[in-house]
Amino acid sequence: LEELGVSRDLAGRRVLVTAGPTVEPIDPVRYISNHSSGKTGYAIARAAARRGADVTLVSGPTALAAPEGVRTVHVKTACDMLAAAEEAFPAADVAVFSAAVADMRPKEPAARKLKKGEPGADLGTIELVENPDILASLGAAKRDGQVVVGFAAETENVVANARKKLATKRADLIVGNLVGEGRAFGTDDNEVWFVTADDVDELPLMSKERLADAILDRAVQFFG
Ligand code: CTP
Ligand code: CA
């Protein structure tokens, strides 16, 4: 494989990847979610497996096929994603939090479909509560030698916001990118910044496949 140009630099390493959106039920037929396609996270999981890692992919609902040779755990809500990520994190050498976790969820999902005009069913108001921050919660539990990678999806001030997220979530690397106006979500390529404690790198526009390898290249540098 080396001869074919496939690096096995993650052989013997465990990699955790979160990917896709989460969906937060309003009632049995409706939900709150976002436009994440899961493409970047799935590309990272595939690339890590190709490079020899033992990979756990914790994925919200996407239209993508579960990557071959990867342990894929399917979840729906942020709370379920947190539980699955917490289980895999302690053994992970590298954890990449690429999921677009819904920031809020309906406080009390209705057990029955909400109906127009029914007494007590106010379709104009949904009470929301904030979801747990999976990256921040596991970043706080990070032990020596673990490499934690997060993303920052921003509509402006990418680098400044990425720096804040690096610090508050205790990540080693934040991949900052611009979202909105046809950028990033669902597209096949992406323009990003790598923000670490010591420097900021603006990467050229590249496919999500190449970006996946670039992120892993940067992550393995932390192993020294
Ligand atoms: N993240 C997470 N759990 C959440 C929210 C975010 O694990 N509940 C992770 C994402 O996977 C990403 C990073 O945190 O790696 C940043 O996500 P982002 O949505 O950009 O930042 P937030 O902290 O949610 O802040 P905001 O959306 O308000 O900018
Ligand atoms: Ca968010």
Side-chain angles (χ1 to χ4, degrees):
L1 277 167
E2 296 278 7
E3 285 164 25
L4 293 171
V6 177
S7 160
R8 303 284 290 175
D9 57 350
L10 288 171
R13 304 280 192 186
R14 285 179 207 271
V15 174
L16 163 66
V17 181
T18 70
T22 66
V23 299
E24 312 295 334
I26 296 168
D27 69 17
V29 296
R30 305 183 180 96
Y31 58 79
I32 293 173
S33 190
N34 59 64
H35 291 301
S36 170
S37 66
K39 282 178 183 172
T40 297
Y42 276 57
I44 293 165
R46 273 196 308 273
R50 192 179 358 93
R51 290 164 71 151
D54 177 318
V55 183
T56 300
L57 171 64
V58 179
S59 176
T62 72
L64 305 172
E68 259 175 63
V70 166
R71 187 179 313 103
T72 302
V73 182
H74 294 282
V75 297
K76 290 207 166 70
T77 67
C79 292
D80 294 345
M81 183 174 277
L82 174 62
E86 272 176 340
E87 205 171 304
F89 184 74
D93 299 294
V94 179
V96 183
F97 297 89
S98 64
V101 182
D103 290 313
M104 65 292 259
R105 67 175 183 276
K107 188 176 178 190
E108 283 167 16
R112 299 168 47 243
K113 185 183 172 192
L114 300 173
K115 300 288 282 181
K116 283 182 280 193
E118 272 188 0
D122 173 9
L123 298 197
T125 312
I126 301 169
E127 197 180 341
L128 302 175
V129 290
E130 203 172 322
N131 269 328
D133 189 317
I134 299 167
L135 165 55
S137 151
L138 295 178
K142 181 170 68 171
R143 52 171 173 76
D144 278 358
Q146 277 184 310
V147 181
V148 169
V149 181
F151 282 70
E154 309 292 344
T155 56
E156 60 198 333
N157 302 328
V158 177
V159 171
N161 285 316
R163 276 217 178 87
K164 276 187 210 149
K165 287 174 183 173
L166 186 81
T168 57
K169 298 175 189 245
R170 294 199 60 224
D172 299 291
L173 167 64
I174 292 283
V175 181
N177 67 312
L178 273 171
V179 294
E181 294 173 23
R183 290 171 198 267
F185 283 144
T187 61
D188 288 317
D189 51 28
N190 223 351
E191 192 173 7
V192 308
W193 288 258
F194 281 176
V195 178
T196 62
D198 307 321
D199 52 29
V200 176
D201 263 352
E202 183 175 358
L203 278 76
L205 191 69
M206 63 176 81
S207 70
K208 289 183 177 179
E209 302 298 327
R210 297 225 14 220
L211 175 62
D213 275 310
I215 290 167
L216 294 173
D217 289 346
R218 190 69 189 79
V220 297
Q221 286 178 25
F222 287 95
F223 293 138

Short mmCIF file of all heavy atoms in Angstrom, two decimals, residues 55-99:
data_model
loop_
_atom_site.label_atom_id
_atom_site.label_comp_id
_atom_site.label_asym_id
_atom_site.label_seq_id
_atom_site.Cartn_x
_atom_site.Cartn_y
_atom_site.Cartn_z
N VAL A 55 -11.73 3.24 13.18
CA VAL A 55 -12.56 4.45 13.14
C VAL A 55 -13.98 4.20 13.65
O VAL A 55 -14.63 3.23 13.25
CB VAL A 55 -12.65 5.01 11.70
CG1 VAL A 55 -13.47 6.31 11.67
CG2 VAL A 55 -11.27 5.25 11.11
N THR A 56 -14.43 5.07 14.55
CA THR A 56 -15.83 5.09 14.95
C THR A 56 -16.44 6.39 14.42
O THR A 56 -15.95 7.48 14.73
CB THR A 56 -15.98 5.05 16.49
OG1 THR A 56 -15.40 3.84 16.97
CG2 THR A 56 -17.46 5.08 16.90
N LEU A 57 -17.48 6.25 13.63
CA LEU A 57 -18.19 7.40 13.06
C LEU A 57 -19.55 7.49 13.75
O LEU A 57 -20.34 6.55 13.68
CB LEU A 57 -18.37 7.18 11.55
CG LEU A 57 -19.26 8.16 10.78
CD1 LEU A 57 -18.70 9.58 10.81
CD2 LEU A 57 -19.42 7.70 9.32
N VAL A 58 -19.79 8.59 14.45
CA VAL A 58 -21.09 8.80 15.08
C VAL A 58 -21.84 9.79 14.20
O VAL A 58 -21.44 10.95 14.08
CB VAL A 58 -20.95 9.34 16.51
CG1 VAL A 58 -22.32 9.59 17.13
CG2 VAL A 58 -20.14 8.37 17.38
N SER A 59 -22.88 9.31 13.55
CA SER A 59 -23.51 10.10 12.50
C SER A 59 -24.98 10.39 12.76
O SER A 59 -25.75 9.48 13.06
CB SER A 59 -23.37 9.37 11.17
OG SER A 59 -24.06 10.08 10.14
N GLY A 60 -25.35 11.64 12.58
CA GLY A 60 -26.75 11.99 12.50
C GLY A 60 -27.29 11.54 11.14
O GLY A 60 -26.53 11.02 10.31
N PRO A 61 -28.59 11.73 10.92
CA PRO A 61 -29.20 11.26 9.67
C PRO A 61 -28.61 11.97 8.44
O PRO A 61 -28.59 13.19 8.39
CB PRO A 61 -30.68 11.63 9.83
CG PRO A 61 -30.88 11.82 11.30
CD PRO A 61 -29.58 12.33 11.84
N THR A 62 -28.12 11.19 7.47
CA THR A 62 -27.63 11.75 6.21
C THR A 62 -28.09 10.83 5.09
O THR A 62 -28.60 9.75 5.33
CB THR A 62 -26.08 11.79 6.15
OG1 THR A 62 -25.59 10.46 6.00
CG2 THR A 62 -25.46 12.44 7.38
N ALA A 63 -27.86 11.28 3.86
CA ALA A 63 -28.20 10.45 2.69
C ALA A 63 -27.02 9.59 2.27
O ALA A 63 -27.06 8.92 1.24
CB ALA A 63 -28.61 11.37 1.54
N LEU A 64 -25.94 9.58 3.06
CA LEU A 64 -24.70 8.91 2.66
C LEU A 64 -24.68 7.46 3.13
O LEU A 64 -25.24 7.13 4.18
CB LEU A 64 -23.50 9.65 3.25
CG LEU A 64 -23.43 11.15 2.92
CD1 LEU A 64 -22.31 11.81 3.72
CD2 LEU A 64 -23.24 11.36 1.42
N ALA A 65 -23.99 6.61 2.36
CA ALA A 65 -23.82 5.21 2.77
C ALA A 65 -22.77 5.13 3.87
O ALA A 65 -21.78 5.87 3.83
CB ALA A 65 -23.38 4.38 1.57
N ALA A 66 -22.99 4.25 4.83
CA ALA A 66 -21.99 4.05 5.89
C ALA A 66 -20.69 3.60 5.24
O ALA A 66 -20.68 2.67 4.44
CB ALA A 66 -22.48 3.01 6.89
N PRO A 67 -19.57 4.28 5.56
CA PRO A 67 -18.29 3.93 4.93
C PRO A 67 -17.87 2.50 5.28
O PRO A 67 -18.08 2.06 6.40
CB PRO A 67 -17.29 4.92 5.51
CG PRO A 67 -18.11 5.99 6.14
CD PRO A 67 -19.43 5.40 6.50
N GLU A 68 -17.25 1.83 4.32
CA GLU A 68 -16.76 0.47 4.57
C GLU A 68 -15.58 0.49 5.52
O GLU A 68 -14.76 1.41 5.47
CB GLU A 68 -16.32 -0.15 3.24
CG GLU A 68 -17.36 -1.10 2.67
CD GLU A 68 -16.95 -1.61 1.32
OE1 GLU A 68 -15.91 -2.29 1.23
OE2 GLU A 68 -17.68 -1.28 0.35
N GLY A 69 -15.51 -0.50 6.36
CA GLY A 69 -14.37 -0.62 7.26
C GLY A 69 -14.39 0.38 8.40
O GLY A 69 -13.36 0.62 9.04
N VAL A 70 -15.55 0.98 8.65
CA VAL A 70 -15.70 1.97 9.71
C VAL A 70 -16.86 1.54 10.60
O VAL A 70 -17.88 1.09 10.09
CB VAL A 70 -16.00 3.36 9.10
CG1 VAL A 70 -16.51 4.35 10.13
CG2 VAL A 70 -14.77 3.92 8.38
N ARG A 71 -16.68 1.65 11.92
CA ARG A 71 -17.79 1.36 12.85
C ARG A 71 -18.70 2.59 12.85
O ARG A 71 -18.29 3.66 13.30
CB ARG A 71 -17.20 1.12 14.24
CG ARG A 71 -18.18 0.64 15.29
CD ARG A 71 -17.46 0.40 16.64
NE ARG A 71 -16.24 -0.35 16.51
CZ ARG A 71 -15.01 0.16 16.56
NH1 ARG A 71 -14.82 1.45 16.77
NH2 ARG A 71 -13.94 -0.61 16.40
N THR A 72 -19.89 2.46 12.29
CA THR A 72 -20.78 3.62 12.21
C THR A 72 -21.93 3.48 13.20
O THR A 72 -22.60 2.45 13.22
CB THR A 72 -21.33 3.78 10.78
OG1 THR A 72 -20.24 3.92 9.87
CG2 THR A 72 -22.21 5.04 10.67
N VAL A 73 -22.09 4.48 14.04
CA VAL A 73 -23.17 4.50 15.03
C VAL A 73 -24.15 5.58 14.57
O VAL A 73 -23.78 6.75 14.47
CB VAL A 73 -22.63 4.84 16.43
CG1 VAL A 73 -23.75 4.83 17.47
CG2 VAL A 73 -21.50 3.90 16.83
N HIS A 74 -25.38 5.17 14.28
CA HIS A 74 -26.38 6.13 13.80
C HIS A 74 -27.17 6.70 14.97
O HIS A 74 -27.67 5.95 15.80
CB HIS A 74 -27.33 5.45 12.81
CG HIS A 74 -26.65 5.04 11.55
ND1 HIS A 74 -26.35 5.93 10.54
CD2 HIS A 74 -26.18 3.84 11.13
CE1 HIS A 74 -25.74 5.29 9.55
NE2 HIS A 74 -25.62 4.02 9.89
N VAL A 75 -27.25 8.01 15.02
CA VAL A 75 -28.01 8.68 16.08
C VAL A 75 -28.92 9.74 15.44
O VAL A 75 -28.75 10.08 14.27
CB VAL A 75 -27.08 9.36 17.11
CG1 VAL A 75 -26.22 8.33 17.83
CG2 VAL A 75 -26.21 10.43 16.46
N LYS A 76 -29.85 10.24 16.22
CA LYS A 76 -30.74 11.29 15.73
C LYS A 76 -30.50 12.61 16.47
O LYS A 76 -30.20 13.62 15.87
CB LYS A 76 -32.20 10.86 15.87
CG LYS A 76 -32.58 9.74 14.91
CD LYS A 76 -34.07 9.78 14.58
CE LYS A 76 -34.41 8.91 13.38
NZ LYS A 76 -34.28 7.47 13.68
N THR A 77 -30.64 12.59 17.77
CA THR A 77 -30.59 13.86 18.52
C THR A 77 -29.18 14.16 19.03
O THR A 77 -28.32 13.28 19.11
CB THR A 77 -31.53 13.80 19.74
OG1 THR A 77 -31.01 12.83 20.66
CG2 THR A 77 -32.94 13.40 19.35
N ALA A 78 -28.98 15.42 19.43
CA ALA A 78 -27.70 15.83 20.03
C ALA A 78 -27.43 15.04 21.30
O ALA A 78 -26.28 14.65 21.56
CB ALA A 78 -27.74 17.33 20.34
N CYS A 79 -28.45 14.79 22.10
CA CYS A 79 -28.24 14.06 23.36
C CYS A 79 -27.77 12.63 23.07
O CYS A 79 -26.87 12.12 23.74
CB CYS A 79 -29.50 14.08 24.22
SG CYS A 79 -29.86 15.74 24.86
N ASP A 80 -28.35 12.00 22.05
CA ASP A 80 -27.90 10.65 21.66
C ASP A 80 -26.48 10.69 21.10
O ASP A 80 -25.68 9.78 21.33
CB ASP A 80 -28.82 10.06 20.58
CG ASP A 80 -30.22 9.80 21.11
OD1 ASP A 80 -30.40 9.80 22.34
OD2 ASP A 80 -31.13 9.60 20.27
N MET A 81 -26.18 11.74 20.32
CA MET A 81 -24.83 11.86 19.75
C MET A 81 -23.81 12.03 20.86
O MET A 81 -22.73 11.43 20.83
CB MET A 81 -24.77 13.03 18.76
CG MET A 81 -23.41 13.16 18.08
SD MET A 81 -23.38 14.42 16.78
CE MET A 81 -24.04 13.51 15.40
N LEU A 82 -24.15 12.82 21.88
CA LEU A 82 -23.25 13.00 23.03
C LEU A 82 -22.98 11.65 23.69
O LEU A 82 -21.83 11.31 23.98
CB LEU A 82 -23.84 13.99 24.04
CG LEU A 82 -23.05 14.13 25.35
CD1 LEU A 82 -21.64 14.68 25.11
CD2 LEU A 82 -23.80 15.02 26.35
N ALA A 83 -24.03 10.88 23.93
CA ALA A 83 -23.86 9.59 24.61
C ALA A 83 -22.96 8.66 23.81
O ALA A 83 -22.06 8.02 24.35
CB ALA A 83 -25.23 8.95 24.87
N ALA A 84 -23.17 8.61 22.49
CA ALA A 84 -22.36 7.72 21.65
C ALA A 84 -20.91 8.21 21.58
O ALA A 84 -19.96 7.42 21.60
CB ALA A 84 -22.96 7.64 20.24
N ALA A 85 -20.71 9.52 21.51
CA ALA A 85 -19.36 10.08 21.44
C ALA A 85 -18.63 9.88 22.77
O ALA A 85 -17.43 9.57 22.78
CB ALA A 85 -19.41 11.56 21.06
N GLU A 86 -19.36 10.02 23.87
CA GLU A 86 -18.75 9.82 25.20
C GLU A 86 -18.22 8.40 25.35
O GLU A 86 -17.22 8.17 26.01
CB GLU A 86 -19.79 10.07 26.30
CG GLU A 86 -19.88 11.52 26.73
CD GLU A 86 -20.98 11.76 27.75
OE1 GLU A 86 -21.91 10.92 27.86
OE2 GLU A 86 -20.90 12.80 28.43
N GLU A 87 -18.93 7.46 24.73
CA GLU A 87 -18.52 6.07 24.85
C GLU A 87 -17.20 5.81 24.09
O GLU A 87 -16.34 5.09 24.56
CB GLU A 87 -19.63 5.18 24.28
CG GLU A 87 -19.63 3.79 24.86
CD GLU A 87 -20.88 3.03 24.44
OE1 GLU A 87 -22.00 3.54 24.70
OE2 GLU A 87 -20.72 1.96 23.84
N ALA A 88 -17.08 6.44 22.92
CA ALA A 88 -15.90 6.17 22.08
C ALA A 88 -14.71 7.06 22.44
O ALA A 88 -13.55 6.70 22.15
CB ALA A 88 -16.26 6.36 20.61
N PHE A 89 -14.96 8.22 23.04
CA PHE A 89 -13.90 9.22 23.23
C PHE A 89 -12.71 8.75 24.08
O PHE A 89 -11.56 9.01 23.71
CB PHE A 89 -14.48 10.51 23.81
CG PHE A 89 -13.49 11.63 23.94
CD1 PHE A 89 -13.04 12.32 22.82
CD2 PHE A 89 -12.98 11.99 25.19
CE1 PHE A 89 -12.11 13.35 22.95
CE2 PHE A 89 -12.05 13.01 25.32
CZ PHE A 89 -11.62 13.69 24.20
N PRO A 90 -12.94 8.09 25.22
CA PRO A 90 -11.79 7.77 26.08
C PRO A 90 -10.70 6.97 25.37
O PRO A 90 -9.52 7.15 25.66
CB PRO A 90 -12.41 6.95 27.23
CG PRO A 90 -13.84 7.42 27.28
CD PRO A 90 -14.22 7.68 25.84
N ALA A 91 -11.06 6.12 24.43
CA ALA A 91 -10.07 5.29 23.74
C ALA A 91 -9.52 5.96 22.48
O ALA A 91 -8.60 5.44 21.84
CB ALA A 91 -10.69 3.95 23.35
N ALA A 92 -10.06 7.12 22.12
CA ALA A 92 -9.67 7.76 20.85
C ALA A 92 -8.34 8.48 20.97
O ALA A 92 -8.07 9.16 21.97
CB ALA A 92 -10.75 8.73 20.40
N ASP A 93 -7.48 8.33 19.95
CA ASP A 93 -6.25 9.12 19.86
C ASP A 93 -6.54 10.46 19.19
O ASP A 93 -5.92 11.47 19.52
CB ASP A 93 -5.20 8.36 19.04
CG ASP A 93 -4.84 7.04 19.68
OD1 ASP A 93 -4.25 7.06 20.77
OD2 ASP A 93 -5.20 5.98 19.10
N VAL A 94 -7.45 10.43 18.22
CA VAL A 94 -7.86 11.65 17.52
C VAL A 94 -9.38 11.69 17.52
O VAL A 94 -10.03 10.68 17.23
CB VAL A 94 -7.37 11.66 16.05
CG1 VAL A 94 -7.84 12.92 15.33
CG2 VAL A 94 -5.86 11.52 15.97
N ALA A 95 -9.96 12.82 17.87
CA ALA A 95 -11.41 12.98 17.81
C ALA A 95 -11.72 14.21 16.96
O ALA A 95 -11.22 15.30 17.24
CB ALA A 95 -12.01 13.13 19.20
N VAL A 96 -12.50 13.99 15.92
CA VAL A 96 -12.84 15.07 15.00
C VAL A 96 -14.35 15.33 15.10
O VAL A 96 -15.16 14.46 14.76
CB VAL A 96 -12.47 14.73 13.54
CG1 VAL A 96 -12.76 15.92 12.63
CG2 VAL A 96 -11.01 14.31 13.44
N PHE A 97 -14.69 16.52 15.58
CA PHE A 97 -16.10 16.86 15.80
C PHE A 97 -16.60 17.69 14.62
O PHE A 97 -16.53 18.91 14.64
CB PHE A 97 -16.25 17.59 17.14
CG PHE A 97 -15.86 16.73 18.32
CD1 PHE A 97 -14.54 16.70 18.77
CD2 PHE A 97 -16.79 15.91 18.92
CE1 PHE A 97 -14.17 15.88 19.83
CE2 PHE A 97 -16.44 15.08 19.99
CZ PHE A 97 -15.12 15.07 20.43
N SER A 98 -17.05 16.99 13.59
CA SER A 98 -17.49 17.71 12.40
C SER A 98 -19.01 17.79 12.30
O SER A 98 -19.53 18.40 11.37
CB SER A 98 -16.92 17.05 11.14
OG SER A 98 -17.42 15.75 10.99
N ALA A 99 -19.72 17.20 13.26
CA ALA A 99 -21.19 17.25 13.19
C ALA A 99 -21.70 18.67 13.33
O ALA A 99 -21.12 19.49 14.04
CB ALA A 99 -21.79 16.38 14.30
#
